[in-house]
Amino acid sequence: MLDWHADNPYSGGGRCALQKQNDQTEIKGASMNRQFSNVGTSKKLSAQYANAFTSWLRGAGNPGTEMMAALNEGSNPAGGFAVPVIVDGQIVPLAPIDAGVRSLATVITTTSDMKVPFETTAATATAKPEASAFVAVSPAFGSFTLSAFMAGGQNDLTFEIFQDAKTLPGFVIGDMLRAQQNIEEPWFISGTGVGQPQGLLGNVGAGVTEEPDSAGNLVTINGASDLIGSLNSEYLPNAAFLMNRATATILRKAQTVGGVFYQAWTRENGVDYLHGFRVAYSASMPTAVRGATPILFGDFERGYLIGDRGSSDLAVKMLDQTKALQGLVSILTYRRTDGRVRRPDAIQSYTIAAS
């Protein structure tokens, strides 16, 4: 049996409620008729209106808001925390300075200080008349001591970075090798010989003194040719030029404006040649200015001797106890070396006239 109530639409009370709903529907219909009475009229909406309406829809009807339906890595809570951070294991180091002396000179290892003899005066021969005695003229000798001077450095790494950054200790050692090169090369060029190696400059042959060319180039192609002529032919087969790169640039320019009828400066397989002789570079060679000696030429293998104590390798010590209470591992790197001019006449100098 159905229980009829006043709020039942099939009861009397329900019919009254239905009548009220019908009345409201008629009122809404009249209102809609008024709204759509101008449907046939064409209206053009502005671009600003369309953009604002689109933003309103995206904001779910809330002005100034816009829904972002996709996760993105630009926001950490929206997905950024899930993106892995990758660090390349290779650290690109700074370039070392040009260092050419070691590649040209004779390099040996020593176990202690070494006396190196050399000839100061050659023996001479004289004409001998028949039935006369020979004239004894013996050679004279000198010597120098090849010692060893310490240079190196220390780097401290925390226990944490030593464990976590696996490639860092190797990089530090390589960086200290470049630092060793940066201190030794200036010694080999201009060292005093007291407490450090003896430098080449001022201790080799005087060579030539040249004027700049008519175009203002302080070093010239013809001057380099004169320098070759100043070297004893005994040393020419293994001879090479030593200069810095700025000086090499001046020589290349001098070739283009000096009316040179042949290619004096050439490059083959990545190696530069001047007048057919190899060119090596040292950042420690002087700049080309009046009164300077920017170029050396000769047989460096016979003319300059480098002695490394024990080994030419860079010595490395890992000390994990010295600063353990501070949580540090110390990396020590060092090399003991010396350099001396052995044959001054085997290397000749190019000096620019002072005035």
Side-chain angles (χ1 to χ4, degrees):
M1 175 181 289
L2 296 174
D3 187 10
W4 295 90
H5 297 283
D7 57 352
N8 192 317
Y10 296 100
S11 66
R15 285 193 296 272
C16 291
L18 183 60
Q19 182 64 38
K20 290 180 180 180
Q21 291 178 5
N22 291 337
D23 293 342
Q24 292 175 358
T25 301
E26 291 177 358
I27 293 172
K28 290 181 179 179
S31 175
M32 292 177 65
N33 288 335
R34 288 194 298 272
Q35 291 177 8
F36 291 98
S37 61
N38 296 325
V39 170
T41 304
S42 175
K43 292 186 177 180
K44 185 176 181 180
L45 302 178
S46 66
Q48 291 82 356
Y49 178 85
N51 292 334
F53 182 70
T54 302
S55 297
W56 181 81
L57 288 177
R58 289 177 177 171
N62 298 319
T65 64
E66 186 171 336
M67 290 196 305
M68 298 293 291
L71 294 175
N72 68 91
E73 62 181 89
S75 170
N76 286 334
F81 286 125
V83 179
V85 177
I86 300 174
V87 177
D88 188 3
Q90 179 182 8
I91 304 173
V92 180
L94 293 173
I97 65 171
D98 287 321
V101 178
R102 268 190 178 271
S103 66
L104 297 175
T106 295
V107 181
I108 64 173
T109 58
T110 62
T111 57
S112 62
D113 286 1
M114 176 188 294
K115 288 288 186 181
V116 180
F118 58 92
E119 187 179 33
T120 58
T121 304
T124 59
T126 60
K128 176 188 173 298
E130 185 179 0
S132 64
F134 283 99
V135 177
V137 182
S138 301
F141 300 94
S143 69
F144 60 82
T145 300
L146 190 66
S147 187
F149 304 104
M150 174 83 76
Q154 173 181 331
N155 274 273
D156 292 335
L157 280 67
T158 64
F159 287 171
E160 292 82 359
I161 198 169
F162 192 86
Q163 289 182 326
D164 296 345
K166 302 297 185 183
T167 61
L168 188 58
F171 174 83
V172 168
I173 294 172
D175 201 48
M176 288 308 299
L177 177 61
R178 291 182 287 274
Q180 192 78 17
Q181 175 179 298
N182 291 349
I183 190 174
E184 289 179 353
E185 184 70 7
W187 282 347
F188 297 151
I189 296 296
S190 56
T192 63
V194 179
Q196 59 185 248
Q198 178 190 42
L200 288 159
L201 294 177
N203 297 300
V204 296
V208 297
T209 300
E210 299 284 326
E211 290 285 347
D213 64 18
S214 58
N217 295 301
L218 289 168
V219 289
T220 68
I221 296 296
N222 290 336
S225 183
D226 293 339
L227 180 60
I228 294 171
S230 70
L231 185 69
N232 190 302
S233 61
E234 176 72 16
Y235 303 117
L236 284 176
N238 196 41
F241 285 96
L242 182 66
M243 65 188 75
N244 66 34
R245 291 188 181 274
T247 300
T249 300
I250 296 174
L251 283 167
R252 288 195 294 270
K253 291 179 178 179
Q255 176 175 262
T256 61
V257 301
V260 179
F261 67 90
Y262 76 104
Q263 197 75 4
W265 188 283
T266 58
R267 185 174 179 82
E268 299 176 15
N269 300 320
V271 179
D272 290 329
Y273 293 88
L274 177 58
H275 294 303
F277 293 95
R278 175 191 168 192
V279 178
Y281 296 106
S282 172
S284 301
M285 283 294 290
T287 302
V289 295
R290 286 280 192 177
T293 302
I295 303 174
L296 297 176
F297 175 74
D299 186 345
F300 291 85
E301 187 173 342
R302 296 172 70 175
Y304 195 71
L305 179 64
I306 295 175
D308 295 325
R309 186 60 53 88
S311 171
S312 293
D313 296 333
L314 188 69
V316 179
K317 301 290 185 183
M318 293 279 191
L319 307 179
D320 59 356
Q321 299 296 320
T322 307
K323 296 186 177 181
L325 293 179
Q326 302 174 41
L328 298 175
V329 175
S330 295
I331 301 178
L332 297 180
T333 56
Y334 64 90
R335 181 162 59 203
R336 299 174 64 198
T337 192
D338 192 11
R340 299 285 154 170
V341 174
R342 179 163 59 176
R343 281 255 48 96
D345 60 315
I347 304 169
Q348 299 297 322
S349 308
Y350 183 121
T351 302
I352 303 171
S355 60

